[in-house]
Amino acid sequence: MSLNNREIADIFERCADMLQIRGDNIHRVLSYRRAAETIRAAPRDLRVIAGEGGLTDLSYIGKTIAAKIDEMLETDRLEFYERLKAEVPEGLVDIMHINGVGPKKARLFWEQLDITSVEALKIAADNDKLAGLPGMGKKSQQKILDGIEALSRQTGRASIGDALPAAQRILEHLLELPEAQAGALAGSIRRGRETIGDVDILIAGDDSGPIMQRFVTMESVGRVLGHGPTKSSVELLSGLQVDVRVLEKARWGTALNYFTGSLAHNVKLRQIALDQGFSLNEHALSPVDENKTIIETAEKILCDSEEQVYATLGLQYVPPELREDSGEIEAARAGGLPRLITRNDIVADLHMHSTWSDGKHSIREMAEACIQRGLRAIAITDHSRSLGIANGLSIERLLTQAEAVRQLNAELGDEIEVLAGTEMDIKADGELDYPDEILAQLDFVIASLHSGLQQKRPQVTERLLKAIRNPHVDMIGHPSARQFPNREAVDADWDAVFAAAKAHDTILEINANPLRLDLKPELARLAKDLGVLLAINTDAHQIAHLDLMDFGVSNARRAWVEPEHVVNTWTLERFQQWLNARP
Ligand code: DGT
Ligand code: CA
Ligand code: CA
Ligand code: ZN
């Protein structure tokens, strides 16, 4: 076995981790980390790139790193990494990735208690051995135990933010072939789930040979897991698994329906079909006798569209995001499916950052990028003063920024409305980061949890309620503070939070960043059902992030959300009226 892109990236990543544990210069650590990132994102095999002499053309790959890549391609090992392993026990790398640990603490546990594995760390924490170490206490010890538990729950699923662009590229690549008559993504990625087990792609065509050949020989393939005429599977260099199925165009509707799932939705549909005298599978609707056995002599119904499948069963067409057997079939039968929100309904983005805090672009650059994207209103919402790590704004800087935003707004005229806002921290002690008289001077105030995320339910709930009740707070940002892959949502009494949001007319956010997607669909649906206002925002820290809106819209669709429930679908006039009616 020779090393592939992902394995080489992993080795560099581990080198970076070990250097960091050893206490090396941060620039040296970062050079390995960035190289790993570049390699993970590379769409082509490193072996091919190296063969063309193109390694150093990749960003963050200089001569030193390129030489190490060559060494790994030739010898399947890296001497530098072997030497590091002799010095820094490998288990420390796993330890430092536990939520709440990091390189310094990993080193502390190693030096003080000779701990070199996650298991040993868990035993030490269970026996109360960590709490007495310098800079540690009962709380941080418990946090580590929680972190170890979270680690064991990790599933190896990909974020939709990583999987969707890769899947779309493959689909387009296959559709370039004349043999490919039509194509679509299916499975969980079509349903817009926040994590993806594997990517499912369907292609319609009569001659599958060239399609499968093109698929298994793509440059981004790491390993071929199966190669047949109707189904092939590969593992990409990134580690993502992709299945491609080729089928007759005449059966497109039943096939797309079957492979989109979910399994639970399919099972219910099949029962409805049986009740009407048909067996439903990926190939057709086949008439059955009273023993539910297929009547071989009877003519089968082939469906070339999903619409036809649902119509034949007497159902409204069910959008993929709803196919989770959570009431959609009953609603489709009664003609009561929601008119789901779409990207086109969105005319505003009320949460974004600029160079004033931890964003990459200036407020003008962000505003102009939003004009290009057709938005009618945005809010500039940089971090607040206690978030030092994100260069949060002091009161003085906040007020200066608000003036700069209003100036910009005047210059941009009718093209877009730029609101002066803040993403204010709800501090761990429950206090808000700016006083009311300052908040009163802003156009749009977000309050968000960024710290104290491990607190117990009553405490977290109280913090959220206090922010919601403050008349100056217009919206709660990413309310549960979850982050993929390993930061759990806070534990809060959501019934109480939603009731308060409804009572005080405070918006709850659906944060569109694919690493957040917060509120998650289940909670957003509950909030919506209670009449709570929602907003879908990108929380962009750079211009490219403005395009993450689609993920938020999918998430809202999974929550059965209609345009009416979402304030950034409203006309500017209506939204401003709403704002003006607030203190
Ligand atoms: P994933 O990959 O774990 O994120 O989730 P899915 O939903 O993409 O699941 P996957 O890839 O195993 O299968 C794709 C779809 O194919 C699934 O949503 C429903 C359909 N499917 C798979 N196996 C069966 C089965 O045994 N019976 C039926 N009715 N449908 C199936
Ligand atoms: Ca799948
Ligand atoms: Ca699959
Ligand atoms: Zn933010």
Side-chain angles (χ1 to χ4, degrees):
M1 261 300 276
S2 54
L3 295 177
N4 65 27
N5 289 27
R6 181 164 56 101
E7 289 158 336
I8 291 174
D10 285 347
I11 290 175
F12 279 139
E13 188 77 47
R14 294 178 83 83
C15 287
D17 291 344
M18 288 172 164
L19 289 170
Q20 208 174 359
I21 293 167
R22 209 174 66 171
D24 270 50
N25 177 309
I26 190 68
H27 296 293
R28 187 159 189 226
V29 170
L30 284 180
S31 67
Y32 286 97
R33 232 185 259 308
R34 291 196 179 117
E37 268 172 37
T38 299
I39 294 167
R40 273 203 197 98
R44 302 170 63 215
D45 196 334
L46 280 184
R47 200 168 293 279
V48 177
I49 301 175
E52 296 167 355
L55 285 177
T56 50
D57 295 339
L58 298 170
S59 47
Y60 300 114
I61 307 241
K63 278 200 185 130
T64 319
I65 301 273
K68 290 190 163 69
I69 295 174
D70 283 330
E71 180 188 340
M72 283 188 264
L73 290 173
E74 277 160 31
T75 66
D76 275 349
R77 68 199 292 276
L78 180 64
E79 187 54 36
F80 175 66
Y81 176 51
E82 301 300 326
R83 281 204 314 271
L84 274 174
K85 275 200 289 191
E87 203 180 320
V88 181
E90 267 204 287
L92 293 180
V93 170
D94 302 326
I95 290 179
M96 83 172 253
H97 287 299
I98 296 168
N99 205 4
V101 183
K104 289 213 180 78
K105 285 207 178 123
R107 187 187 170 118
L108 176 77
F109 303 147
W110 175 34
E111 286 177 347
Q112 304 266 332
L113 299 172
D114 202 25
I115 289 171
T116 58
S117 71
V118 176
E119 294 72 40
L121 183 68
K122 179 164 183 345
I123 292 168
D126 280 337
N127 289 295
D128 211 15
K129 293 265 167 47
L130 306 182
L133 292 174
M136 293 280 305
K138 290 262 185 213
K139 259 189 172 168
S140 39
Q141 177 169 279
Q142 183 55 43
K143 196 172 166 197
I144 288 173
L145 280 172
D146 295 343
I148 293 174
E149 204 192 307
L151 201 66
S152 68
R153 272 198 303 269
Q154 268 184 46
T155 53
R157 297 175 66 84
S159 149
I160 192 166
D162 295 329
L164 189 61
Q168 280 166 339
R169 270 199 302 273
I170 296 173
L171 178 60
E172 279 163 28
H173 184 68
L174 297 178
L175 284 174
E176 283 166 11
L177 286 176
E179 288 84 357
Q181 298 161 359
L185 303 181
S188 53
I189 204 166
R190 179 162 183 245
R191 303 199 308 280
R193 273 197 63 175
E194 51 266 68
T195 64
I196 306 299
D198 67 3
V199 172
D200 300 282
I201 297 179
L202 296 191
I203 303 285
D206 300 321
D207 181 9
S208 72
I211 299 169
M212 292 307 194
Q213 186 59 28
R214 189 174 173 97
F215 173 56
V216 300
T217 56
M218 296 180 308
E219 277 181 328
S220 56
V221 169
R223 251 187 322 152
V224 178
L225 306 171
H227 182 181
T230 58
K231 181 182 173 190
S232 298
S233 299
V234 304
E235 189 187 278
L236 300 183
L237 292 165
S238 64
L240 187 66
Q241 190 184 315
V242 184
D243 294 347
V244 167
R245 293 180 177 84
V246 179
L247 53 115
E248 283 171 64
K249 187 117 198 303
R251 302 177 191 273
W252 180 254
T254 42
L256 182 58
N257 183 246
Y258 182 95
F259 290 111
T260 296
S262 66
L263 199 52
H265 178 86
N266 287 359
V267 168
K268 270 247 171 96
L269 271 193
R270 216 155 34 193
Q271 188 55 50
I272 289 181
L274 274 182
D275 294 345
Q276 298 178 17
F278 293 102
S279 163
L280 171 63
N281 64 14
E282 64 268 48
H283 305 296
L285 282 154
S286 313
V288 292
D289 61 23
E290 52 281 18
N291 300 320
K292 312 287 180 201
T293 315
I294 293 179
I295 309 166
E296 291 300 339
T297 51
E299 195 165 343
K300 297 178 190 309
I301 303 176
L302 304 192
C303 299
D304 63 5
S305 75
E306 278 194 316
E307 283 77 3
Q308 194 188 341
V309 178
Y310 286 102
T312 308
L313 298 177
L315 300 173
Q316 250 183 313
Y317 174 78
V318 181
E321 294 91 340
L322 300 187
R323 299 184 196 168
E324 299 292 347
D325 186 22
S326 54
E328 75 281 7
I329 291 187
E330 294 74 7
R333 215 177 212 165
L337 285 174
R339 163 22 203 126
L340 292 184
I341 188 167
T342 68
R343 169 70 183 264
N344 288 338
D345 294 316
I346 303 279
V347 295
D349 189 344
L350 301 172
H351 182 170
M352 69 184 67
H353 299 267
S354 75
T355 45
W356 283 76
S357 68
D358 59 348
K360 265 201 183 159
H361 295 103
S362 68
I363 52 181
R364 175 180 284 276
E365 286 169 325
M366 294 303 282
E368 283 173 349
C370 290
I371 293 174
Q372 273 176 16
R373 285 162 176 76
L375 294 180
R376 296 286 301 115
I378 60 172
I380 301 292
T381 55
D382 276 306
H383 289 292
S384 62
R385 55 184 174 173
S386 71
L387 223 58
I389 189 171
N391 191 24
L393 275 58
S394 66
I395 289 177
E396 201 188 342
R397 285 180 68 221
L398 175 68
L399 296 179
T400 313
Q401 185 196 35
E403 244 176 77
V405 169
R406 293 194 172 115
Q407 169 90 38
L408 175 68
N409 187 41
E411 283 172 35
L412 295 174
D414 285 344
E415 288 200 273
I416 196 164
E417 182 71 14
V418 189
L419 302 176
T422 179
E423 181 181 19
M424 170 177 61
D425 201 37
I426 302 171
K427 296 197 285 184
D429 63 6
E431 292 302 314
L432 299 177
D433 208 6
Y434 296 124
D436 285 358
E437 63 269 23
I438 300 300
L439 297 179
Q441 301 179 46
L442 300 174
D443 306 323
F444 192 71
V445 174
I446 306 175
S448 302
L449 298 170
H450 292 111
S451 57
L453 304 178
Q454 317 274 338
Q455 290 172 357
K456 294 264 178 292
R457 174 180 291 216
Q459 229 176 325
V460 173
T461 306
E462 200 40 57
R463 286 165 71 199
L464 286 168
L465 293 183
K466 181 164 181 185
I468 288 170
R469 288 185 197 125
N470 183 305
H472 300 289
V473 171
D474 300 301
M475 183 181 92
I476 304 296
H478 47 69
S480 82
R482 72 169 179 166
Q483 262 186 53
F484 295 109
N486 53 20
R487 191 191 285 162
E488 296 280 312
V490 293
D491 185 14
D493 177 349
W494 294 111
D495 291 332
V497 170
F498 297 160
K502 168 74 183 155
H504 295 269
D505 214 19
T506 307
I507 305 164
L508 299 184
E509 182 176 61
I510 293 180
N511 190 293
N513 189 306
L515 297 181
R516 288 198 182 268
L517 295 174
D518 180 11
L519 293 171
K520 66 177 177 180
E522 297 79 359
L523 286 179
R525 186 172 172 187
L526 285 175
K528 180 225 31 165
D529 285 344
L530 292 171
V532 175
L533 288 176
L534 301 170
I536 309 172
N537 303 309
T538 62
D539 194 359
H541 284 68
Q542 56 185 86
I543 288 170
H545 292 170
L546 293 168
D547 297 321
L548 300 176
M549 187 60 90
D550 285 320
F551 294 106
V553 171
S554 296
N555 206 58
R557 288 168 66 85
R558 288 177 64 78
W560 294 53
V561 166
E562 304 186 44
E564 179 61 20
H565 307 127
V566 177
V567 300
N568 44 342
T569 68
W570 295 355
T571 62
L572 182 56
E573 293 66 37
R574 180 171 174 199
F575 183 57
Q576 257 163 347
Q577 262 174 23
W578 180 86
L579 279 178
N580 291 340
R582 300 173 68 77

